[in-house]
């Protein structure tokens, strides 16, 4: 997606948005909020149904997100009337997302929703295709916003969301204005996604919509429409086609054992606890591996084509920056990240990566990445060399160990000697540790970084470990003014407590942790060479080094999923662990609970550990 795929809108004489392409209003000129309440909330039986809902989450799905008015109205009503132990999961599809500025202007018409609107606008995602999951109201409200053509996104969503929706808001521009959306395939997907008591409501009473919903298996009725509209449709999934997908058999009362205490383990434990599981973490120490470096950068790994790798990282990047801002605000710094094109090959690669769709490029949103000229690079910071660059305005850096400790602060962490093996024991898994002790658990998540290579070898899973060494240097008068993360062949971080972090070397297959003078020299040489003719890097003096082992996969995608019944794994995060871990952990927990996934089904399949099994 690029800016050209944003909705093109103008504002009418009432100050309300109109979609130029569809020549249709986003909501009625009279009272859009009252219409949302009447059509979608009242005629789906809300909030009455929330009082007797038997599942832990009430799931609403919607066609046509638009300004988010229905979402904001449902959010507000839910907090006012729903039981405290119930969560609202709102899933919506939008082909042409509004620009943030247009969205803010449109929602000014509803001051009674100002609190919700402000929180939503702050979390509004970049216009990248796929799902963008956001949490609000201390986790009680979950939004999955799927951007792209609904007839492409719904099939990508549906395999992970069968028989889980409680209510459908069939919205969007009117059928005569936007006929391509109102198709039988959508009505059929509504039925497949519905739980046994799934309802729907829509503002239209068009005959072909009524017949299509009936064909899909809904019992459909007409009622009085809102305002001057004569009729609208509402209904419920017929008992003959209704199915119920049982939620995870473990429920929220069983304990999950997480092995490891780096960023993958910390994010997984945090997401498990947020989902209601009891969690215990077993580890030799907290952030004592690759997650223990002094500073870490957060930015996506993108390609010049929309590869599965790029698809995962565009979504993971947006999720991670929101996650850290909310959960670890004192140790997350959204400074932006600049990636320098320090030679001709890099310049060519970055140029291709930054091209819009219209020029045959991937068309990444400008909120994700921007191409800079040499002059624009130096406008970011005059001490940068005059090179073209890529700029990730939402990126930044964090304090890895502090972030991990924060995420684990309310979770039981037990110090344990290294895990040597794991084997099935009846209906559970037996963990055997180096000190001869054993533990048994029905549900285990292995999230122990470099140790996974050896632990998963008996299962045929092939992983690779890569040694890396980082160097800390003392800040100078010039370097202390560095405003953002600088990436080249290595990376350089803004100052923290008088020091910068310079990294990092790559030594595939090595697990040697002794510090090497040659690696320190390589880190400093790359900084000086790649930032030439800037002189300030040559003035930096090293003060310390740290070596750690990264765990990687052959296709550079994370390994996330259930390896065998009750045995889950998350690893292979490589050098982008702090970007990948939050979304990867969220997906793992969604799969464990049998809840709707925030990734396309095909992309989720590409993360499964089975793809790495050899022999």
């Amino acid at each position: 997606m690029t800016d050209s795929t944003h909705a093109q809108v103008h504002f009418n004489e009432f100050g309300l948005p109109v979609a130029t392409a569809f020549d249709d209003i986003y909501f009625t000129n009279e009272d859009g909020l009252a219409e949302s309440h009447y059509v979608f909330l009242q005629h789906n039986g809300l909030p009455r149904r929330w009082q007797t809902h038997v599942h832990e989450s009430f799931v609403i799905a919607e066609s046509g997100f638009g300004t988010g008015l229905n979402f904001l109205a449902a959010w507000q009503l839910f907090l006012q009337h729903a039981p405290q132990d119930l969560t609202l999961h709102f899933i919506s599809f939008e082909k042409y997302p509004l620009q943030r500025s247009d969205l803010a202007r449109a929602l000014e018409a509803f001051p009674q929703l100002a609190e919700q609107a402000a929180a939503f606008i702050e979390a509004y995602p970049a216009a990248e295709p796929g799902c963008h999951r956001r949490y609000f109201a201390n986790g009680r409200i979950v939004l999955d916003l799927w951007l792209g053509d609904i007839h492409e996104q719904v099939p990508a969503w549906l395999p992970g969301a069968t028989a889980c929706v409680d209510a459908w808001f069939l919205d969007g521009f009117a059928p005569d204005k936007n006929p391509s959306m109102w198709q039988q395939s959508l009505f059929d997907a509504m039925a497949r996604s519905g739980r046994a008591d799934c309802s729907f409501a829509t503002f239209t009473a068009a005959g072909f919509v009524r017949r299509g919903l009936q064909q899909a298996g809904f019992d459909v009725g007409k009622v009085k429409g809102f305002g001057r509209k004569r009729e609208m449709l509402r209904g419920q999934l017929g008992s003959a086609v209704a199915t119920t997908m049982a939620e995870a058999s473990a429920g929220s009362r069983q304990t999950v054992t997480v092995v490891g205490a780096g960023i993958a383990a910390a994010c997984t434990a945090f997401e498990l606890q947020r989902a209601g599981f009891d969690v215990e973490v077993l580890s030799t120490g907290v952030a004592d591996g690759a997650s223990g470096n002094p500073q870490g950068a957060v930015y996506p790994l993108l390609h010049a084509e929309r590869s599965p790798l790029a698809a995962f990282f565009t979504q993971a990047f947006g999720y991670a920056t929101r996650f850290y801002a909310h959960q670890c605000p004192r140790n997350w710094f959204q400074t932006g990240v600049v990636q320098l094109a320090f030679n001709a090959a890099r310049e060519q690669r970055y140029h291709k990566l930054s091209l819009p769709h219209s020029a045959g490029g991937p068309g990444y949103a400008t909120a994700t990445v921007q191409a800079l000229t040499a002059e624009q690079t130096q406008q970011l910071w005059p001490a940068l060399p005059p090179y073209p660059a890529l700029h990730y305005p939402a990126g930044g850096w964090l304090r890895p160990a502090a972030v991990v400790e924060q995420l684990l602060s309310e979770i039981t962490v037990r110090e344990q000697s290294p895990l040597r093996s794991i084997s099935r024991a009846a209906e559970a898994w037996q963990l055997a540790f180096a000190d001869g002790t054993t533990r048994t658990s029905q549900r285990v998540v292995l999230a122990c970084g470099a140790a996974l290579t050896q632990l998963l070898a008996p299962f045929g899973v092939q992983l690779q470990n890569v040694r890396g060494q980082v160097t800390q240097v003392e800040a100078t008068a010039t370097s202390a003014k560095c405003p953002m993360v600088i990436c080249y062949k290595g990376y350089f971080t803004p100052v923290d407590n008088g020091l910068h972090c310079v990294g990092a070397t790559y030594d595939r297959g090595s697990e040697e942790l002794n510090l090497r003078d040659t690696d320190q020299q390589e880190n400093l040489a790359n900084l000086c060479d790649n930032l030439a003719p800037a002189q300030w890097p040559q003035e930096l003096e090293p003060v310390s080094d740290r070596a750690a082992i990264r765990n990687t996969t052959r296709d550079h995608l994370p390994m996330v999923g259930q390896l065998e019944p009750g045995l889950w794994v998350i690893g292979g995060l490589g050098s982008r662990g702090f970007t990948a871990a939050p979304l990867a952990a969220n997906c793992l927990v969604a799969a464990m609970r049998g809840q709707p996934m925030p990734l396309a089904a095909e992309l989720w399949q590409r993360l499964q550990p089975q793809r790495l099994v050899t022999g």
Side-chain angles (χ1 to χ4, degrees):
M1 285 187 161
T2 61
D3 285 344
S4 63
T5 61
H6 279 102
Q8 303 301 307
V9 303
H10 63 272
F11 287 81
N12 62 19
E13 66 272 24
F14 301 102
L16 302 179
V18 179
T20 304
F22 298 98
D23 188 27
D24 201 2
I25 56 177
Y26 279 89
F27 41 77
T28 179
N29 292 326
E30 284 75 24
D31 191 337
L33 183 56
E35 182 180 40
S36 288
H37 275 274
Y38 178 81
V39 173
F40 297 109
L41 298 172
Q42 179 180 327
H43 284 98
N44 273 294
L46 310 177
R48 172 185 50 81
R49 290 172 61 197
W50 293 333
Q51 307 306 316
T52 57
H53 193 62
V54 297
H55 301 282
E56 61 189 32
S57 180
F58 191 92
V59 181
I60 296 173
E62 175 188 54
S63 60
F65 186 76
T67 64
L69 180 59
N70 294 336
F71 166 60
L72 299 179
W75 170 357
Q76 184 182 67
L77 193 70
F78 185 85
L79 294 186
Q80 291 170 348
H81 297 285
Q84 287 294 319
D85 59 349
L86 187 64
T87 60
L88 176 64
H89 193 157
F90 196 101
I91 302 161
S92 191
F93 300 87
E94 178 56 57
K95 184 175 183 180
Y96 297 113
L98 286 163
Q99 296 271 16
R100 186 189 295 258
S101 57
D102 289 333
L103 179 71
R105 182 177 174 185
L107 292 175
E108 286 176 358
F110 308 104
Q112 60 272 61
L113 294 174
E115 182 180 350
Q116 287 79 12
F120 169 62
I121 291 167
E122 182 193 10
Y124 195 55
E128 300 289 355
C131 181
H132 303 268
R133 176 164 287 182
R134 299 290 185 266
Y135 287 83
F136 303 97
N138 296 317
R140 285 196 68 201
I141 309 292
V142 187
L143 171 66
D144 285 353
L145 181 53
W146 288 79
L147 299 183
D149 190 307
I150 194 168
H151 297 298
E152 297 174 2
Q153 299 300 325
V154 163
W157 161 77
L158 189 57
T162 302
C164 69
V165 174
D166 298 296
W168 265 94
F169 293 1
L170 187 51
D171 201 0
F173 297 117
D176 60 334
K177 302 280 189 179
N178 184 25
S180 63
M181 192 199 82
W182 301 79
Q183 300 291 323
Q184 188 62 46
S185 59
L186 174 58
F187 307 145
D188 292 342
M190 290 170 60
R192 282 188 58 197
S193 70
R195 266 202 272 245
D197 58 351
C198 180
S199 62
F200 83 90
T202 181
F203 62 87
T204 185
F208 82 93
V209 174
R210 174 177 51 81
R211 292 187 294 272
L213 288 164
Q214 288 172 331
Q215 181 179 324
F218 285 93
D219 296 328
V220 182
K222 289 182 182 179
V223 294
K224 169 71 173 67
F226 178 78
R228 291 177 291 177
K229 291 183 179 179
R230 191 175 65 176
E231 294 175 320
M232 58 166 279
L233 302 177
R234 70 173 182 184
Q236 191 164 329
L237 196 59
S239 57
V241 295
T243 57
T244 298
M245 181 177 68
E247 292 180 354
S249 58
S252 60
R253 293 176 297 278
Q254 279 203 2
T255 297
V256 180
T257 301
V258 178
V259 180
I263 189 59
C267 288
T268 302
F270 178 89
E271 295 283 5
L272 283 165
Q273 186 182 63
R274 173 154 70 178
F277 289 96
D278 292 327
V279 188
E280 64 171 3
V281 171
L282 308 179
S283 182
T284 55
V286 175
D288 57 350
S291 295
N293 287 340
Q295 293 171 273
V298 175
Y299 64 107
L301 181 58
L302 303 181
H303 282 171
E305 64 281 337
R306 287 281 183 168
S307 63
L309 189 73
F312 172 78
F313 272 101
T314 52
Q315 292 170 243
F317 176 52
Y319 186 84
T321 56
R322 294 302 309 164
F323 180 82
Y324 295 130
H326 274 257
Q327 307 305 332
C328 314
R330 294 188 301 276
N331 294 296
W332 159 243
F333 306 88
Q334 192 166 324
T335 58
V337 175
V338 65
Q339 209 168 16
L340 298 175
F342 57 87
N343 59 32
R346 295 264 177 151
E347 184 174 356
Q348 185 178 31
R349 187 194 316 168
Y350 294 171
H351 173 70
K352 290 180 179 178
L353 191 149
S354 66
L355 288 173
H357 282 303
S358 58
Y364 295 113
T366 55
T368 301
V369 63
Q370 303 166 0
L372 303 181
T373 64
E375 293 75 20
Q376 289 170 325
T377 298
Q378 290 196 300
Q379 288 170 11
L380 290 177
W381 186 36
L384 286 172
Y387 296 143
L390 295 177
H391 183 220
Y392 304 89
W397 66 275
L398 42 67
R399 299 184 181 114
V403 165
V404 170
E405 289 168 2
Q406 175 68 40
L407 295 175
L408 294 174
S409 61
E410 298 182 9
I411 294 168
T412 300
V413 180
R414 305 185 191 281
E415 189 170 336
Q416 189 81 49
S417 65
L419 180 63
R420 290 298 183 225
S421 66
I422 182 167
S423 57
R424 186 177 290 282
E427 297 299 314
W429 290 93
Q430 185 176 69
L431 309 175
F433 298 92
D435 61 2
T437 62
T438 62
R439 294 176 68 95
T440 301
S441 178
Q442 288 188 320
R443 286 197 165 201
V444 176
V445 180
L446 297 180
C448 41
L452 290 171
T453 299
Q454 180 181 349
L455 284 170
L456 297 184
F459 297 88
V461 175
Q462 188 176 57
L463 298 163
Q464 186 176 29
N465 288 339
V466 179
R467 180 189 183 277
Q469 184 169 320
V470 298
T471 302
Q472 281 191 292
V473 296
E474 191 169 354
T476 64
T478 299
S479 72
K481 298 175 183 176
C482 177
M484 67 196 64
V485 179
I486 306 169
C487 295
Y488 40 96
K489 190 177 179 180
Y491 66 87
F492 182 83
T493 62
V495 67
D496 188 32
N497 295 318
L499 300 174
H500 303 277
C501 195
V502 185
T505 58
Y506 268 78
D507 188 355
R508 296 189 181 281
S510 173
E511 298 190 20
E512 169 63 58
L513 290 178
N514 289 336
L515 298 179
R516 303 171 181 170
D517 291 339
T518 54
D519 281 26
Q520 182 186 95
Q521 293 163 10
E522 179 182 339
N523 283 331
L524 297 177
N526 283 335
L527 177 65
C528 293
D529 294 346
N530 296 168
L531 269 66
Q535 294 296 307
W536 61 266
Q538 300 177 31
E539 303 168 2
L540 299 169
E541 294 291 335
V543 296
S544 66
D545 283 74
R546 186 177 189 274
I549 310 300
R550 312 174 188 92
N551 185 237
T552 66
T553 66
R554 56 177 176 259
D555 59 10
H556 304 294
L557 279 166
M559 170 189 63
V560 190
Q562 186 170 214
L563 182 58
E564 292 193 11
L567 178 60
W568 298 75
V569 294
I570 175 171
L573 303 186
S575 59
R576 293 290 201 287
F578 280 89
T579 306
L583 182 61
N586 187 275
C587 289
L588 184 150
V589 175
M592 189 179 284
R593 297 174 71 206
Q595 293 290 308
M597 293 289 298
L599 277 186
E602 182 180 355
L603 187 53
W604 172 239
Q605 283 304 310
R606 287 180 178 270
L607 303 186
Q608 297 309 296
Q610 287 77 11
R611 78 185 195 274
L612 302 170
V613 173
T614 59

